[in-house]
Every structure is written in structure tokens, then in C-alpha cells.
Amino acid sequence: MFGFTSISALRHAAIKWAKYYVYFTKAAFFLLGLVFGHGLVKNAVVDSLMIYIGEENWGLAKSAAAVNTQEAIVAILTIVNAHVADAWVGRFKIVVYTTASYIAGLVLLYFFQKTKLLLVSLLLVASGFAGREPTFRAFFADQFTGQDESQLEARSSFWWYVVKFVGAAISVFLITQKSWRSTFKISAIVMGAAYLWFLFGARMRLYNCHGPTTSPVTTLYKVFKAAIRKRCHDFPDTPDGYYMNQGREIPHSPCHPILRWMDKAAIQTNEAEVEGNYLCRAAEVKNAKRLLTMLPLWMTFLIYGMVQAAGSTFFIEQSNGMDVYINDNFDFPITAFFILESLTRDLTSYLVNFLISKICRVEGKQPAQLVKINAGMFFSILCCIAAWQVEVHRFKVVKEHNLLNSEEDDDYKIPMTIFSLVPQFLLLGVMTGLAEDGLSEFYCNHVDESMKQFDEPFNGLLIGVGKVFTVFFILIRSTSWFGDTINHSRLDKYFRWLMILSCCNLYFCVLVSYAYVRLQSQQHDENIQNQSLEPP
């Protein structure tokens, strides 16, 4: 009886879980091909660009600079795509245009690998990849209908991650073992077939397409434009903490005093301002100021972006010449580390959120989110230490076996296994799962509801700026630390320098986090005091 009851309970639990997560609509079914294609191409092409460009004899410094520049362009185009989708054309058209750009870039890579069109191909691929998140993912989530928002988010996230992972896994074991020409050909065919399947669903009018609404970029631009236009005007003579808007007294938002000048955007000085769209609502000013108060925390992610840039470039380059063979029939692909990092990131994010919700009971609170961010910064230090020590040992082995001039022979081998890189990729995944997940939660908890959908573009932009810093540093030190090949470079010095910067960044992050907690405590005390002064 106990066994039957247990089986019945498990069956009911499985049915309940399936109804909650596994259900998807007909419209979502026609989008799963694109989700699969994005997962496959990201792992086979986008994440592997450092390997491909390195094989084109660009040199270590130029290859890393090219990859980091492309990732920075992706960060910029992500904001552009999200803004254009929400402000003008809608998400559906952006998915159509960016996917077409993706396919065109892959086709050009297949036909023109050795020409100047390579740069054009990489730009088209970057444009297509920038449409994946948040635009395509938000459009995918729009196809799940219902009343429970948490259930809809769970279903869309389940299918998004599962199908994307399947695409990435297939790319590792079936595609990346082939030549680059074959990889580009298969990737273009998969994305092309998925694109036709997606357009077939559009032909059947299955998709739930939302029109353009509003964009946080528009709000921010409008407030800045109005505030700068009225920068010479004085605040009206009203009670402290208030300003006039169309004859009504409205309290200014409780942000840092340095942003007080932005309140002038909501002060009406003449009737012509209403017609010229130079007068902002109080809510718009408040939302813009709250967004800008994210800047101190965003600044801590500049150095973090440099560590992440090392993961997508120099970590991969460290595998050159290492022993990759598991047996005589199969060699371990470096692209498998991308899946390892992704799984570690998602697992870390899930476990930490579970522990916070079950043990600390403070899920969704700023202190918990800031702790996650600081923990991520701490793991960035450990990641740099692991990469530094591996490179010190690798360089020592290279010198001991007189392999410094062996790059002329394509078959040169370093007596060192590729699995030496596992710790740094694991730490990179933990770092990303803690820091970026904490930043996303803090952003969504900090800004207004109308700006929450832009957490990926805004947060990704600051990380992209950190990657641009990496490009500048590489160009400055290209003659001393970065040679034509990894064996003629001193990546150990670069990783050590990056570790020192990460230590300083952690200290700065702790100070910024303390300032946020203190500001939140002051605002909480002010709210309690104001409530006590209100008449009964």
C-alpha cells in the first residue's frame, strides 16, 4: 500500500509539474526552431570566434581585440534593437530583421572566409545575435497565454533553456568536430530552416504580436532634453522638497541630491513647453532619476567585464597545444567548456535563490541581491587566480620542453591536459551566476515597472564597456605582454594584473553596496516618520 501510494503521489506530482512547466501553445511551437538554432549557432560560431580568428593568423592581440570589439558591438545593438522594438516597430519585426541578418552573416562566412568581407560577416552575425535577448526571448514569452504571470514565465523559461541547451549540445558533439566551412554551412542551413518555419507560423497568423508601446531610452532622452533646456531656470518658491507642475505641488523623487537638477524637467515655465513636448510628468522624472542611481553599481561591472572578456578569449587560447584526447576515437572539444560554464551559471543562480528563499527568507530584498553581487566579484578574483596559476604552469612546461618555437609545426603538443582549464571555467560560471543574476534582480527591484524589460540591455552595455577597456589595454601592451602566439605572450602577467584589479573592484563594490543599504534604510525611516505625522 505504501509503495502504491508513493507511486500515485509521484505520478500526480509529475502531472502537476508538467502542467505548470511543459505546456506550450501552437505559436510557441513554431518558435522552438529559432530557439534551437540560436543555441546551436551561439556555441558553434559566436562563442568560438576566438578559435576561428586565431587560426586565420591574426595574432593573439588582434584576435582578442576583434572578439571583444564584436561583443561590445553586440551590447550596443542589443539596446538599439530593444529600443526600436518597444518604441517604433514591435518585437516581431525585429525578430524578422535580426534573424535574416544572422543567416546572411553565416552565408557570407561560408563563401568568403579569406576576404575583407569577413568583417562584414562578423558584423551581420553580431546584429543577428543582438536580437536574441531580450527582444526574441520577450517575443517568445508573449506566445504563452494565461492569467498567472509566474506560471507563464516558468513555462517560457523552461522551453527556452531546454531547447537552447539541446542545440548547444548537438553543436559540441556533431558540428564543432568538422571544418569551419562545414560548421558555417550547417549553421546557416539550420537557421534558414528555422526561419522558414517561423515565417510559416506568421503566415498562419498564430503569433501574439504586441505593437510598440514605450521605451525607457525615450523617457531618459525626454527628461534630459527638458532638464538641460531649463537648466538656467530657478526652482519656484515652494515648500522644501516640492516643485510646481501645471499649478500643482508635486514632491521630487528621493534620490541623490546630485540629480536634483533633473527635477527642472517637470517645471512648467510657459505654455509653449506643453506643445513643444518640453514638459515631463513627475513620474517620468522619478523613473529617470531612479535609473541613473544604478550608475555606481554599474561602475563595479567594468572590471567584471574585463574578467568575462578574458573568459571568451584568453581562456580559450590557453587550450592551444594541450592534450585533448580522451581515447583514440574522440577528442574533447574546447566548445564543451562553454556548456560547462553555462550549466554552472544556471545551477549557481538556482541554488543560491533557493537557499535565500528557504533559509534567509529575504528573497527580493536589496541586501540579499547585493550580497550575491559581492560574492560574484569575489569569485572573479578566484577565477583570475586559477587562470594565472594554470598559465604559470603551462608557460613553465613550454620552456622546459623547448616549445617556444614549435608553432611552425601544427602538430606540436604540450604535455598538459586540457582538463587543467576546468577550474577557471567553473569559477567563471559561478561568478556569472552570482554577479549578473544579482545585478538583474537588483535592477528590477530598483527601477520602475516600465523599465524592467530593459535589464538585459542596460546591464549588458556596462559589461560591454568593460570589454572595450580590455581592447584598449591589449593595444597598449601588445608589444610587451601579447605576442603573435600564446607561447610568445605573457598571459600570466595579464591574469595577475587582472586579479589585482578585481581585488580593488571588490573593495569598491562593498563600499557601493553599503551606500545603497544605508540609503534604503534612511528612506525607510523617512517613510515611517511621514506616516506617523499624517493626521488620523
Side-chain angles (χ1 to χ4, degrees):
M1 180 65 69
F2 176 77
F4 176 79
T5 304
S6 300
I7 294 174
S8 178
L10 288 174
R11 183 171 61 86
H12 285 296
I15 293 174
K16 183 178 179 181
W17 180 87
K19 288 182 177 180
Y20 191 85
Y21 288 101
V22 180
Y23 172 81
F24 63 90
T25 62
K26 186 183 294 186
F29 177 70
F30 281 89
L31 292 176
L32 290 178
L34 279 183
V35 177
F36 173 85
H38 273 284
L40 184 143
V41 177
K42 179 181 183 297
N43 192 275
V45 178
V46 178
D47 290 342
S48 305
L49 283 178
M50 185 65 187
I51 305 173
Y52 171 67
I53 296 177
E55 292 180 2
E56 295 299 314
N57 298 320
W58 283 30
L60 180 63
K62 290 183 178 180
S63 299
V67 172
N68 288 326
T69 301
Q70 196 238 20
E71 292 178 350
I73 292 174
V74 168
I76 296 173
L77 292 179
T78 298
I79 283 191
V80 173
N81 288 334
H83 171 66
V84 173
D86 288 351
W88 292 323
V89 302
R91 294 167 180 167
F92 172 77
K93 290 184 178 179
I94 292 297
V95 174
V96 172
Y97 300 149
T98 55
T99 307
S101 174
Y102 219 163
I103 297 171
L106 293 171
V107 171
L108 286 179
L109 281 174
Y110 172 71
F111 284 106
F112 306 102
Q113 297 182 48
K114 305 292 184 179
T115 66
K116 294 181 179 180
L117 286 177
L118 175 62
L119 296 178
V120 178
S121 305
L122 295 179
L123 286 176
L124 289 173
V125 169
S127 176
F129 183 69
R132 189 185 69 152
E133 291 191 33
T135 308
F136 175 52
R137 184 172 181 182
F139 180 75
F140 180 72
D142 290 340
Q143 311 314 312
F144 292 82
T145 57
Q147 298 180 350
D148 189 350
E149 293 185 2
S150 62
Q151 185 182 55
L152 297 180
E153 183 180 356
R155 287 174 177 175
S156 64
S157 297
F158 172 80
W159 284 107
W160 178 270
Y161 286 113
V162 168
V163 177
K164 186 182 70 171
F165 174 79
V166 172
I170 290 177
S171 72
V172 169
F173 297 104
L174 297 181
I175 298 180
T176 55
Q177 302 293 322
K178 302 180 180 296
S179 65
W180 283 111
R181 188 175 178 85
S182 298
T183 298
F184 296 143
K185 179 181 178 180
I186 295 173
S187 299
I189 292 174
V190 170
M191 285 299 296
Y195 191 50
L196 293 176
W197 184 243
F198 160 71
L199 294 178
F200 182 69
R203 179 76 175 177
M204 296 176 64
R205 301 183 182 276
L206 296 175
Y207 300 133
N208 181 20
C209 300
H210 296 295
T213 53
T214 185
S215 169
V217 177
T218 303
T219 302
L220 199 61
Y221 171 75
K222 181 181 177 182
V223 172
F224 264 102
K225 181 180 178 180
I228 293 175
R229 182 182 177 87
K230 292 180 280 190
R231 64 189 182 278
C232 297
H233 289 277
D234 296 327
F235 287 102
D237 188 13
T238 57
D240 185 34
Y242 288 76
Y243 53 80
M244 299 297 294
N245 187 354
Q246 297 178 342
R248 294 179 294 111
E249 292 183 352
I250 303 176
H252 70 81
S253 54
C255 293
H256 197 277
I258 199 173
L259 300 177
R260 179 75 166 108
W261 66 276
M262 295 180 64
D263 289 335
K264 294 181 180 181
I267 300 175
Q268 182 176 347
T269 58
N270 54 64
E271 293 295 334
E273 289 184 351
V274 180
E275 298 179 1
N277 199 26
Y278 294 122
L279 181 64
C280 300
R281 293 181 290 108
E284 292 176 330
V285 177
K286 177 182 177 181
N287 295 341
K289 291 171 67 176
R290 288 189 67 85
L291 179 65
L292 290 181
T293 55
M294 286 287 300
L295 281 175
L297 188 61
W298 276 335
M299 294 294 290
T300 65
F301 277 79
L302 297 178
I303 304 301
Y304 169 90
M306 297 182 69
V307 178
Q308 197 178 77
S312 60
T313 53
F314 298 131
F315 285 11
I316 299 172
E317 200 67 21
Q318 283 180 289
S319 66
N320 279 352
M322 286 187 177
D323 182 14
V324 297
Y325 292 98
I326 298 177
N327 52 50
D328 295 336
N329 298 321
F330 181 76
D331 56 325
F332 187 83
I334 184 63
T335 52
F337 284 123
F338 307 148
I339 295 183
L340 176 65
E341 177 196 345
S342 179
L343 286 175
T344 306
R345 179 184 65 236
D346 295 337
L347 184 61
T348 300
S349 176
Y350 174 79
L351 290 178
V352 171
N353 288 335
F354 177 79
L355 292 175
I356 289 177
S357 62
K358 295 299 182 180
I359 299 176
C360 301
R361 305 288 183 182
V362 290
E363 185 178 14
K365 302 298 183 181
Q366 278 193 356
Q369 296 155 0
L370 292 171
V371 168
K372 290 172 64 175
I373 294 173
N374 283 271
M377 298 303 175
F378 174 75
F379 274 95
S380 71
I381 299 174
L382 298 182
C383 182
C384 293
I385 293 175
W388 172 35
Q389 292 302 311
V390 168
E391 184 59 23
V392 167
H393 180 65
R394 193 199 67 83
F395 192 71
K396 181 180 179 181
V397 171
V398 167
K399 289 196 298 183
E400 288 178 351
H401 290 79
N402 297 321
L403 297 174
L404 288 177
N405 297 318
S406 298
E407 281 74 16
E408 299 176 357
D409 182 6
D410 294 334
D411 296 327
Y412 84 98
K413 291 297 177 184
I414 299 174
M416 186 174 175
T417 177
I418 195 173
F419 295 107
S420 303
L421 303 177
V422 169
Q424 61 200 68
F425 276 98
L426 284 175
L427 291 170
L428 187 66
V430 174
M431 173 194 81
T432 307
L434 288 171
E436 294 189 23
D437 189 58
L439 178 64
S440 179
E441 292 177 359
F442 184 89
Y443 174 90
C444 293
N445 186 57
H446 188 76
V447 302
D448 182 72
E449 185 71 27
S450 61
M451 295 188 174
K452 288 184 179 180
Q453 76 273 18
F454 265 60
D455 65 320
E456 179 76 20
F458 283 143
N459 296 338
L461 179 63
L462 269 294
I463 298 175
V465 173
K467 294 178 179 180
V468 173
F469 285 175
T470 301
V471 174
F472 288 140
F473 183 84
I474 290 174
L475 296 178
I476 293 173
R477 301 305 301 265
S478 60
T479 57
S480 56
W481 288 2
F482 305 101
D484 293 334
T485 65
I486 186 173
N487 287 349
H488 293 88
S489 304
R490 294 306 306 268
L491 287 185
D492 56 330
K493 294 184 177 181
Y494 177 74
F495 290 143
R496 183 179 60 188
W497 175 80
L498 203 57
M499 177 200 66
I500 296 173
L501 283 183
S502 298
C503 291
C504 299
N505 189 53
L506 175 61
Y507 177 73
F508 176 63
C509 188
V510 170
L511 295 180
V512 170
S513 301
Y514 174 75
Y516 276 112
V517 173
R518 185 177 179 182
L519 179 62
Q520 185 187 36
S521 177
Q522 291 176 353
Q523 293 178 358
H524 179 69
D525 294 340
E526 290 177 2
N527 292 335
I528 295 178
Q529 184 178 4
N530 293 334
Q531 291 176 1
S532 63
L533 295 177
E534 292 180 357

